[in-house]
Amino acid sequence: MDFFAEFDTAKSLGRFIQLLHQKNYNVTDMQLDKREYKKGGNIGAIFHIKMDQASSHSEVIQTLSEFEGLQFIEEIQ
């Protein structure tokens, strides 16, 4: 499953990655976009994750969207 997410701080991004590991989501690839962050904006990241158990992608996005510090999340198809 691939998704794009934006975070308010690099610290929020780090805590989000910890959350993914706690939920047993295996992050197999991550690409950062720090251009806007360097100008005082959000930090963006594209994640590729694998899940131990089959889950609805929309449910995963909904659960992750409740994370504090996350500004935006959308699945990439």
Side-chain angles (χ1 to χ4, degrees), residues 4-8 10 13 31-46:
F4 172 76
E6 286 187 348
F7 304 88
D8 56 358
L13 170 60
Q31 299 173 7
L32 293 178
D33 181 359
K34 297 189 264 186
R35 288 176 291 191
E36 293 301 317
Y37 185 65
K38 290 179 181 177
K39 299 177 196 173
N42 294 333
I43 185 167
I46 297 174

Side-chain angles (χ1 to χ4, degrees), residues 7-40:
F7 304 88
D8 56 358
T9 65
K11 189 173 186 174
S12 293
L13 170 60
R15 289 186 297 115
F16 184 80
I17 293 169
Q18 289 175 343
L19 173 71
L20 294 175
H21 290 290
Q22 290 170 359
K23 293 189 171 290
N24 293 320
Y25 298 152
N26 184 19
V27 179
T28 59
D29 189 33
M30 182 179 75
Q31 299 173 7
L32 293 178
D33 181 359
K34 297 189 264 186
R35 288 176 291 191
E36 293 301 317
Y37 185 65
K38 290 179 181 177
K39 299 177 196 173

Side-chain angles (χ1 to χ4, degrees), residues 26-72:
N26 184 19
V27 179
T28 59
D29 189 33
M30 182 179 75
Q31 299 173 7
L32 293 178
D33 181 359
K34 297 189 264 186
R35 288 176 291 191
E36 293 301 317
Y37 185 65
K38 290 179 181 177
K39 299 177 196 173
N42 294 333
I43 185 167
I46 297 174
F47 292 88
H48 179 79
I49 63 170
K50 291 189 178 182
M51 299 169 278
D52 290 342
Q53 300 177 14
S55 299
S56 162
H57 290 191
S58 60
E59 288 177 12
V60 171
I61 294 294
Q62 178 61 37
T63 300
L64 295 176
S65 70
E66 297 169 5
F67 179 79
E68 187 177 334
L70 180 69
Q71 303 298 308
F72 178 81

